[in-house]
Amino acid sequence: MLLLRCCHRLTRACPFNTQRHRGAPALASYAFRLWSSSGSSGGEGQRSYLGASWKHALVGLVAGTGAVLAYSLHHHKAEQTETPLEKRSALPIFTQEDVTGHRTLEDGVWVTYKGGVYDITEFVAMHPGGDKILLAAGGALEPFWSLYAVHNQEHVLEILSEYKVGELSAEDLKKQQSVTTSDPYSSDPVRHPALRVNSLKPFNAEPPPEILSDSYITPSAIFFKRNHLPVPQVDPGSYRLYIEGLPGGVLTLSLEDLKTKFPKHTVTATLQCAGNRRSEMNKVKQVKGLNWGIAAISNATWSGAKLRDVLLAAGYGPDVAKWARHVQFEGLDKDVSGTTYGASIPLNKAVSEEGDVLLAYEMNGEDLPADHGFPVRVVVPGTVGARNVKWLGKVTVSAEESGSHWQQNDYKGFSPGTDWDTVDFKSAPAIQELPIQSAITAPADGGVVERSSGEVTVKGYAWSGGGREVVRVDVSLDGGKTWQVAQLKDGENEAPPPPGRAWAWKLWEVQAPLPPEAQELEIICKAVDDSYNMQPDSVPPIWNLRGVLSNAWHRVKVKITEDESGE
């Protein structure tokens, strides 16, 4: 609060501060709407304020993670004044030099936007993206807002207007307009139109469920897309991967080195976003993050060098295992501050012969698509998608797990009783292996079945993390009163997986007669893996503020009609 009071004293000294009368009360609404409507998680920022009252300050939203640490918002509110905006007289004119002189909390933080000058000093401590807003201090917001498209909403501009203190001089405005602001997402690849988009910038989308279950191997074009930042353009010829933290020093590998100096391995593995099925948690109580349906999961064949082989070539040996515990990954995708996406996995997973961790350069028999990490990504079978880092630039063997925001302050599960006032992200381990999961892809919720058909066909997928094989899927047509066992389907040429290495999903199907008197069916599925882990029956006991690990029984309701018209 000391810092905030200092901000108030500074801004009170400014004769143009009287417009900030509605800024603070609007902030809570702004932040909540931002989190719930954009869900863009990403960038999803790593740094947080170190002061005691905001040590859990909001770090991740505008950089793209959806992991908004809303703790500090409840403790910082700007003071209000009473002079209405519409009664303001003509605003003063400032030069760019005037604006540039306000770049710190001590001098005040000023920015420009479309010719307006704004004193946002009071807002800095409450900014949902943490102190990244200071990157624009003394300059224009446009280059930064073009990176984080979540700002392009009317209510965000309304909040900004409360901090307006003047206009930029015509001469300086002309200079600004002569500089073309590039869109960092302009080079993103073209995506398949069938994808259901959850966020455009960064791009996050899932396939329609009925398409998802059509094929055991998901076509790359409709494989779910989970980006935290703009897709980087990487020249395969100049690409270099750096392996660090081992006695032999830094090992540098080109793409050609990976392809020619190490045996090529192929693994069929399912990747699932931690937020898959988050929309069902939102129905219980609003959570923060992208509103994924049931299709933030896909299955592909991945080919590349084993991470184990590369680490051995870099000098990994028994002595390293005495002190090292983690392998960190750093991507080439970055935000405007240079912060890159990062994550880590346990060392024993990385170096195990049975871990099957790949430095993959092919997906479904072709070069990795741009959205999926070209030219090289990590594929960590059985592990949450967030650890399967794309556009891989660096691998580090370490005694510590990654310090990245996405490892430390996101992708963690909490009790249903934990809220944004009480959450301590350091108290929970980072998600690695995911729990047992299944969902119904057909028929769709709210669909129609004709009674004349005499039966209903129910299809779906099932998967469990950690290499645990799905051994059974139970399906009910009457809300869970009675059950039948579904037929499980592997790929046509897939051999039974070795114990503990069932990395790929099972597709399943049930054909069942329609109950004679029923007018509506409540269809439920639940899966069981070879450790006899089973899905929980409902969402409330597993609800959590980030909406991750959503794996309750999946339920859809369909109506039975008496004729083909469906009327």
Side-chain angles (χ1 to χ4, degrees):
M1 291 302 291
L2 179 60
L3 176 60
L4 193 58
R5 291 191 188 104
C6 289
C7 292
H8 287 314
R9 286 197 293 271
L10 285 166
T11 51
R12 285 195 196 102
C14 172
F16 313 116
N17 189 45
T18 55
Q19 291 199 70
R20 281 179 234 123
H21 62 290
R22 293 194 299 265
L27 283 173
S29 173
Y30 157 66
F32 177 80
R33 283 178 287 177
L34 220 53
W35 303 328
S36 60
S37 66
S38 77
S40 87
S41 260
E44 245 195 25
Q46 291 180 333
R47 292 173 295 174
S48 61
Y49 291 103
L50 300 179
S53 63
W54 50 56
K55 64 181 179 179
H56 299 296
L58 312 181
V59 183
L61 176 68
V62 298
T65 71
V68 178
L69 310 183
Y71 181 85
S72 68
L73 191 60
H74 300 283
H75 300 278
H76 305 294
K77 292 185 178 180
E79 294 180 352
Q80 302 179 47
T81 57
E82 298 179 355
T83 305
L85 181 63
E86 55 271 18
K87 292 184 179 181
R88 287 279 300 162
S89 58
L91 294 172
I93 303 298
F94 295 107
T95 66
Q96 182 60 56
E97 185 177 359
D98 294 330
V99 177
T100 304
H102 294 79
R103 304 179 66 178
T104 67
L105 290 171
E106 290 73 23
D107 297 328
V109 178
W110 287 17
V111 296
T112 66
Y113 181 73
K114 292 187 175 180
V117 178
Y118 302 85
D119 179 354
I120 60 169
T121 310
E122 293 179 4
F123 182 60
V124 171
M126 293 171 285
H127 181 233
D131 58 0
K132 286 185 179 295
I133 198 169
L134 292 175
L135 293 167
L141 283 174
E142 282 91 338
F144 300 93
W145 280 18
S146 67
L147 179 63
Y148 307 123
V150 67
H151 294 95
N152 294 327
Q153 301 182 55
E154 183 177 352
H155 64 268
V156 179
L157 298 177
E158 290 174 359
I159 299 303
L160 180 65
S161 71
E162 305 299 335
Y163 294 87
K164 190 169 185 178
V165 295
E167 302 286 349
L168 191 63
S169 70
E171 181 179 355
D172 286 317
L173 177 59
K174 186 176 181 180
K175 290 179 181 178
Q176 274 194 2
Q177 292 173 340
S178 67
V179 178
T180 301
T181 301
S182 62
D183 180 359
Y185 293 94
S186 62
S187 60
D188 271 17
V190 176
R191 282 88 179 203
H192 197 286
L195 292 170
R196 297 179 177 176
V197 178
N198 285 318
S199 168
L200 277 172
K201 299 180 181 182
F203 190 80
N204 292 280
E206 58 189 301
E210 60 271 22
I211 295 178
L212 181 65
S213 58
D214 278 349
S215 174
Y216 178 75
I217 299 297
T218 311
S220 301
I222 63 166
F223 197 104
F224 82 97
K225 320 293 186 203
R226 177 65 177 105
N227 296 335
H228 296 82
L229 299 162
V231 175
Q233 290 185 300
V234 184
D235 175 15
S238 60
Y239 170 80
R240 296 294 183 269
L241 175 64
Y242 300 96
I243 314 297
E244 302 180 355
L246 292 169
V250 178
L251 175 64
T252 303
L253 298 171
S254 67
L255 179 59
E256 188 67 15
D257 290 334
L258 284 172
K259 291 182 176 181
T260 60
K261 294 183 178 180
F262 301 94
K264 180 179 178 180
H265 294 270
T266 298
V267 174
T268 301
T270 296
L271 297 187
Q272 180 183 201
C273 178
N276 189 35
R277 299 180 59 193
R278 180 181 280 133
S279 57
E280 294 165 54
M281 286 196 174
N282 273 325
K283 293 176 182 178
V284 173
K285 183 181 177 183
Q286 193 73 34
V287 300
K288 307 298 187 291
L290 293 167
N291 195 39
W292 292 109
I294 65 169
I297 182 173
S298 300
N299 191 51
T301 57
W302 310 93
S303 299
K306 277 196 174 184
L307 176 59
R308 167 186 166 83
D309 293 343
V310 173
L311 293 180
L312 287 171
Y316 175 80
D319 289 344
V320 175
K322 294 179 181 178
W323 59 267
R325 295 291 180 270
H326 305 270
V327 176
Q328 303 177 10
F329 307 117
E330 184 178 300
L332 296 173
D333 50 333
K334 59 183 66 176
D335 66 14
V336 70
S337 70
T339 299
T340 56
Y341 184 85
S344 61
I345 62 172
L347 177 68
N348 59 357
K349 172 67 174 177
V351 300
S352 169
E353 290 189 41
E354 292 77 34
D356 291 325
V357 181
L358 296 182
L359 302 180
Y361 44 77
E362 290 182 4
M363 177 183 184
N364 293 340
E366 299 178 344
D367 289 345
L368 286 173
D371 262 326
H372 296 290
F374 178 82
V376 177
R377 72 171 299 167
V378 184
V379 173
V380 190
T383 299
V384 63
R387 313 301 167 214
N388 293 251
V389 176
K390 298 186 284 190
W391 312 291
L392 186 65
K394 185 187 296 183
V395 176
T396 305
V397 177
S398 174
E400 307 294 335
E401 69 176 358
S402 171
S404 165
H405 165 77
W406 297 274
Q407 190 80 20
Q408 299 296 326
N409 297 315
D410 195 7
Y411 299 121
K412 295 183 176 184
F414 294 94
S415 163
T418 299
D419 58 26
W420 291 103
D421 288 319
T422 59
V423 65
D424 175 7
F425 274 82
K426 304 302 181 186
S427 68
I431 299 170
Q432 294 286 345
E433 298 177 358
L434 285 170
I436 181 71
Q437 176 71 280
S438 71
I440 299 163
T441 57
D445 189 37
V448 172
V449 177
E450 297 171 3
R451 189 177 299 279
S452 59
S453 65
E455 63 180 16
V456 60
T457 300
V458 185
K459 299 180 179 181
Y461 66 77
W463 181 75
S464 191
R468 293 177 290 273
E469 185 175 9
V470 172
V471 296
R472 195 179 79 231
V473 173
D474 299 325
V475 179
S476 174
L477 301 184
D478 54 14
K481 296 176 183 177
T482 61
W483 299 88
Q484 51 192 303
V485 178
Q487 177 185 0
L488 301 180
K489 298 180 177 182
D490 288 313
E492 292 182 4
N493 300 316
E494 292 290 321
R501 297 168 72 182
W503 310 127
W505 64 10
K506 306 272 189 180
L507 299 183
W508 55 265
E509 183 175 322
V510 163
Q511 287 185 315
L514 293 173
E517 303 299 326
Q519 300 299 310
E520 183 180 73
L521 303 178
E522 183 182 12
I523 307 174
I524 300 175
C525 73
K526 61 182 178 73
V528 182
D529 67 23
D530 58 11
S531 293
Y532 285 98
N533 295 307
M534 304 181 189
Q535 295 173 253
D537 64 354
S538 60
V539 174
I542 60 171
W543 184 95
N544 60 86
L545 76 174
R546 277 291 284 119
V548 293
L549 307 170
S550 181
N551 72 325
W553 294 358
H554 188 223
R555 304 165 185 261
V556 302
K557 291 185 177 181
V558 299
K559 293 187 178 298
I560 301 175
T561 60
E562 302 299 331
D563 56 55
E564 294 184 359
S565 67
E567 297 176 353

